[in-house]
Structure formats: structure tokens, C-alpha cells
Amino acid sequence: MMFGELIIDLRKAKLAEGTQKLEANAMFGSIILYVTPDWNLEIRSSSFLASIEDKRYQNTPIENSTPTLIIKGSAMFGNIEIRN
């Protein structure tokens, strides 16, 4: 995303077994990614004058057997937020 805002809502999606990958890159803009709180996330990120944050509220521990979503992201002068 460049010079704008992108909202991706995955709350009604179901992860396939194993490890899945998603790449998100923001430059002078923002990406808001909605996922359910029970997904196991692994965030691999880099930023320059920007932020990449997992702002999900989790009230139950996530099991190790749960499928994993790897988010590979980079942000420059913008932000990427993960919410539920």
C-alpha cells in the first residue's frame, strides 16, 4: 500500500492446517488487518519511521497445534496494525 489505507478483514476466514503466509508492505500509508484472536501469529517485520503492531486482545492461550499465519511485513513512514 502506498499513500492510502488498506483494510483486510479475515475474521470469517479459516486457516488451513500447517503454516500459511501473508505479506504486507506499507509506504506512506497504513494497513489494518483483522484476524480472530485464536489464530497463532508469527510476525516478521522491518520498519523505518513506522510501526508494525499486534493489537489483538487475547483472553485465552493459543494452542501450539493451532495453524499458524506468518505475516511478513515492512513499513516506511506508515503503519501496519493487526486487530480483532
Side-chain angles (χ1 to χ4, degrees), residues 1-2 6-8 10 20-27 29-35 42-48 50-53 69-76 78-82:
M1 171 54 55
M2 185 178 229
L6 175 65
I7 299 172
I8 302 171
L10 299 174
Q20 309 306 316
K21 297 179 182 177
L22 176 70
E23 185 170 344
N25 301 303
M27 178 183 258
S30 65
I31 297 174
I32 300 170
L33 179 62
Y34 288 97
V35 299
E42 183 178 322
I43 301 172
R44 300 177 184 171
S45 64
S46 63
S47 62
F48 178 73
S51 67
I52 301 173
E53 299 177 87
L69 177 63
I70 297 174
I71 299 175
K72 181 180 177 188
S74 65
M76 181 185 301
N79 67 344
I80 299 174
E81 286 185 12
I82 302 159

Side-chain angles (χ1 to χ4, degrees), residues 51-70:
S51 67
I52 301 173
E53 299 177 87
D54 184 356
K55 293 188 170 183
R56 295 178 300 157
Y57 173 76
Q58 294 176 302
N59 57 1
T60 59
I62 298 172
E63 298 177 19
N64 288 339
S65 63
T66 305
T68 301
L69 177 63
I70 297 174

